Amino acid sequence: GLQVLTANVVGVHLSMAKQLSDGCEVLAPDSDHVLHRGRIADFAAEGLNLPVGYRVLHLAASDRGVALPEGRLVPWEGYAVRLLGNGWEHKGRWSTEQDAGLSISVWRCEIWTEGLFSLLFWALGWLVSESARDVAVNTGGVPFARRLLIDWTDRRILFHGGGAGGCENLWNDFFEQPLSEGGVVAQMALADIEDAEKSGFLSVAVRFGRPWFHKFGEFRGADEGANQFTDMKGGRLDAENAEEGRAAFRRWIRVRQPVLERATQVREIALAALPLSQWLAVHIRQTDKLEQCQANRISRAALAAQIRAFCTALSCRGAWVCSDDPSLKQALLKELEASGLCVAHHDSLLSANGLPSHKDEALDRRRNAEDVLVEALLMAQCGALLSTWSNVSVAAVYFSPPGYRHYLFGDDTPASPQHAIGSACATAMPAGMAGGATSCSSAVSTSVPGFCSACGASEPQLRCSGCTSAFYCRKGCQRTAWPEHKVACNAGRAR
């Protein structure tokens, strides 16, 4: 009667070396993609030709035997500590009432190839779906409450790697456990998880995607939607989608205090030169994203030209530049500063090998994930956002206040600029300080010699006769750029 269950998850580790001992209590997925408590019983495999890496176990609730890859098994001993973290042993129990019950639902992430915000949106999709689901619990009239938890303890999640320390549950490094709606830290102790399991009120799900739940936002703002995946909506993040995301973040997502304090420290160092409202947040995601989003394939010159144009149109005097490509970021910072913009950046940990940092095994990927979270929190505090397609920029919008202006590279610039970029910038911050640096210039020019001020094309043939500092590849580009250039042009003439 032994049932051999397939892995069902891409990349399941099938090791010939057994890490769990015979008789060990584990949580194991059944055909419903929910983990159930069982015990390894390899003696029952005698005479069977099982695939390499499979273990035989007995599931207590259904009283049957199954065979699964060891990589799908979660040791039960110490699971509550790994899930919640140390320090919960002496937390107040949910209730001291004998007739009170607690139902605990957990989503265990088994998505191992994605970055921080992609996993956050999967978790958020589960939280929204699970909180709306009617849970049929036979309590015999006993009152009970629900708690929702996120489990990122699987060591195969990419940003577990590269560095020591931190929480066994990666979620706890960055966010408070939701526990209940609104992120309120409700009373709960480690023993409550054990009690809930014994009472049949603990559910640990490993399923994701349709038909169970979809990734929150359905890739809007992170993917153009012009690909072969039929379940990936993608497309622009419009005002309605942005407000839905803000509401979901307010309800469920609470960033840990140490991360918030670090963001404040970076802001006080890197962004002190200007009021936050005068910074244009810039996020550029390329590396492996270029395979998915062709629209992210933009030349450096075109990126710089659009950043300057948007700063002028939005009355932003500085650019807070964030990117997954360190060489591109440094080149942009130099180019933008030379054009008269105040520029700032964070010394985030990035791959020097041309890889997305969360996939570079040489890096402390946990540290990189925190760096990206800090950048997103600060992007949300800037006056506006100009970005490529990415989960990071979407998260920045969700963290932002209502009315936050956000644009994609390639969008038309807003009309009616108020003043030119680069004027009256505050004192520069010294380079090399922890958290990044700010550099400012008092120049008014919005153009870089050798590149068209409108489209970013190289080797332009025309030069503005008024200020002599703007360059264009043709008359059409000059006419297009005039609404953004005229203020700087007049200022250049006045000098």
Side-chain angles (χ1 to χ4, degrees):
L2 180 68
Q3 183 181 7
V4 179
L5 300 179
T6 57
N8 263 339
V9 176
V10 176
V12 167
H13 178 61
L14 299 179
S15 171
M16 295 186 67
K18 295 181 178 179
Q19 304 297 320
L20 301 174
S21 60
D22 197 9
C24 175
E25 279 197 297
V26 296
L27 294 173
D30 207 340
S31 54
D32 58 358
H33 304 287
V34 173
L35 300 185
H36 300 273
R37 194 167 173 178
R39 188 180 298 274
I40 294 178
D42 283 338
F43 63 87
E46 188 174 347
L48 298 177
N49 185 24
L50 293 176
V52 173
Y54 274 62
R55 307 295 297 274
V56 174
L57 57 149
H58 176 257
L59 297 180
S62 57
D63 191 26
R64 63 192 185 90
V66 298
L68 278 163
E70 182 168 313
R72 299 297 308 279
L73 308 181
V74 181
W76 171 249
E77 184 178 0
Y79 178 66
V81 176
R82 296 193 301 277
L83 180 63
L84 289 177
N86 293 319
W88 284 82
E89 292 88 346
H90 306 295
K91 295 274 185 181
R93 297 293 293 275
W94 172 71
S95 176
T96 56
E97 300 285 339
Q98 291 296 316
D99 61 348
L102 182 63
S103 172
I104 300 173
S105 295
V106 182
W107 180 62
R108 176 176 169 82
C109 178
E110 289 192 348
I111 305 170
W112 305 320
T113 59
E114 300 184 14
L116 175 65
F117 287 117
S118 183
L119 295 191
L120 175 63
F121 295 153
W122 278 114
L124 192 58
W126 177 80
L127 287 166
V128 171
S129 173
E130 188 69 14
S131 64
R133 188 170 66 91
D134 291 329
V135 180
V137 180
N138 183 12
T139 62
V142 175
F144 76 99
R146 291 188 72 200
R147 297 288 181 264
L148 305 181
L149 302 172
I150 303 297
D151 176 356
W152 285 358
T153 60
D154 194 316
R155 300 294 300 181
R156 291 161 291 191
I157 294 175
L158 285 178
F159 45 100
H160 259 297
C167 301
E168 289 194 74
N169 185 353
L170 276 170
W171 178 274
N172 299 336
D173 272 329
F174 311 111
F175 311 106
E176 300 287 355
Q177 284 290 344
L179 291 177
S180 58
E181 292 184 8
V184 177
V185 179
Q187 280 192 317
M188 196 172 81
L190 296 176
D192 283 318
I193 295 178
E194 181 86 26
D195 292 346
E197 194 281 328
K198 289 178 180 177
S199 304
F201 290 175
L202 173 67
S203 171
V204 183
V206 294
R207 56 198 179 201
F208 62 93
R210 302 184 189 279
W212 302 289
F213 68 91
H214 59 76
K215 188 176 185 177
F216 186 85
E218 299 192 89
F219 300 87
R220 291 184 185 90
D223 186 274
E224 347 172 46
N227 53 52
Q228 72 273 26
F229 301 109
T230 57
D231 60 344
M232 184 186 292
K233 281 191 176 180
R236 294 188 67 91
L237 184 69
D238 61 24
E240 182 180 355
N241 304 143
E243 193 49 47
E244 288 176 359
R246 291 187 187 102
F249 267 39
R250 287 194 299 268
R251 181 177 180 183
W252 295 110
I253 306 303
R254 293 178 67 234
V255 178
R256 292 290 307 276
Q257 191 61 33
V259 179
L260 293 175
E261 290 173 357
R262 186 167 171 229
T264 298
Q265 181 185 31
V266 172
R267 184 192 70 209
E268 291 174 348
I269 293 172
L271 297 176
L274 295 171
L276 288 173
S277 62
Q278 294 184 19
W279 288 104
L280 173 68
V282 176
H283 185 262
I284 302 165
R285 175 80 162 86
Q286 292 192 335
T287 59
D288 64 331
K289 192 71 170 180
L290 296 176
E291 300 172 10
Q292 180 182 336
C293 290
Q294 291 297 313
N296 284 14
R297 196 176 296 275
I298 311 169
S299 70
R300 191 186 79 198
L303 291 169
Q306 291 184 56
I307 292 168
R308 293 193 299 267
F310 271 88
C311 280
T312 301
L314 296 169
S315 301
C316 292
R317 294 189 289 148
W320 165 243
V321 181
C322 309
S323 175
D324 63 340
D325 185 330
S327 59
L328 172 64
K329 182 165 80 169
Q330 290 303 317
L332 269 177
L333 289 167
K334 291 179 181 179
E335 189 167 334
L336 294 171
E337 183 185 4
S339 72
L341 267 178
C342 190
V343 295
H345 70 101
H346 174 44
D347 291 328
S348 51
L349 189 63
L350 297 173
S351 172
N353 301 316
L355 297 171
S357 297
H358 64 283
K359 295 182 179 180
D360 190 336
E361 296 182 0
L363 288 183
D364 181 344
R365 284 164 280 169
R366 190 188 302 248
R367 159 71 189 281
N368 166 257
E370 183 176 309
D371 284 345
V372 174
L373 177 54
V374 166
E375 287 183 331
L377 291 169
L378 295 180
M379 283 187 238
Q381 298 178 41
C382 291
L385 170 67
L386 177 62
S387 74
T388 55
W389 300 87
S390 78
N391 287 303
V392 179
S393 56
V394 172
V397 174
Y398 290 170
F399 279 126
S400 73
Y404 181 73
R405 300 169 295 177
H406 53 99
Y407 307 90
L408 288 169
F409 279 97
D411 287 353
D412 293 333
T413 53
S416 303
Q418 298 299 311
H419 57 73
I421 60 174
S423 58
C425 198
T427 305
M429 299 298 293
M433 292 185 67
T438 306
S439 182
C440 298
S441 167
S442 59
V444 179
S445 169
T446 64
S447 306
V448 176
F451 298 102
C452 175
S453 299
C455 69
S458 60
E459 300 181 3
Q461 301 301 309
L462 303 177
R463 186 171 188 165
C464 177
S465 60
C467 65
T468 70
S469 63
F471 300 82
Y472 304 99
C473 58
R474 54 192 176 87
K475 285 285 187 181
C477 279
Q478 188 171 14
R479 286 193 295 271
T480 300
W482 178 243
E484 288 79 38
H485 175 62
K486 61 182 178 180
V487 177
C489 185
N490 292 334
R493 292 180 188 186
R495 289 190 299 161

